[in-house]
């Protein structure tokens, strides 16, 4: 699931803003299954949905209480 957000960042850096937005939206529609994916979705949600982002970080911590990125975010 994280790959959608990784590809969105790459497309944005290459100037493909429409493709980046499409990848970001595709990633946001999927349900994460691992802590890294919850953190990736949380970071993507942060600008427009801080409460949803916090829920994703909390979900990552529920799966892995010592996940450094989830603790930081």
């Amino acid at each position: 699931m994280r790959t959608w957000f990784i590809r969105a960042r790459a497309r944005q850096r290459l100037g493909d803003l429409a493709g980046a937005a499409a990848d970001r939206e595709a990633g946001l529609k999927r349900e994460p299954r691992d802590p890294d994916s919850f953190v990736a979705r949380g970071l993507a949600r942060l600008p427009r949905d801080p409460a949803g982002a916090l829920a994703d970080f909390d979900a990552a911590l529920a799966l892995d209480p010592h996940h450094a990125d989830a603790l930081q975010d």
Side-chain angles (χ1 to χ4, degrees):
M1 183 187 134
R2 290 182 303 148
T3 56
W4 291 105
F5 302 114
I6 293 168
R7 191 167 82 168
R9 280 194 307 269
R11 284 183 167 187
Q12 187 168 1
R13 288 181 181 148
L14 292 172
D16 180 6
L17 301 182
D23 283 347
R24 200 170 12 268
E25 289 304 314
L28 289 171
K29 290 179 183 177
R30 287 169 172 69
E31 185 64 27
R33 297 176 190 237
D34 61 86
D36 289 330
S37 293
F38 273 109
V39 170
R41 188 175 76 171
L43 290 172
R45 292 171 85 177
L46 193 56
R48 286 184 266 168
D49 181 13
L54 183 59
D56 281 343
F57 300 142
D58 288 341
L61 290 172
L63 294 173
D64 179 2
H66 303 290
H67 195 280
D69 292 332
L71 287 168
Q72 178 181 335
D73 297 324

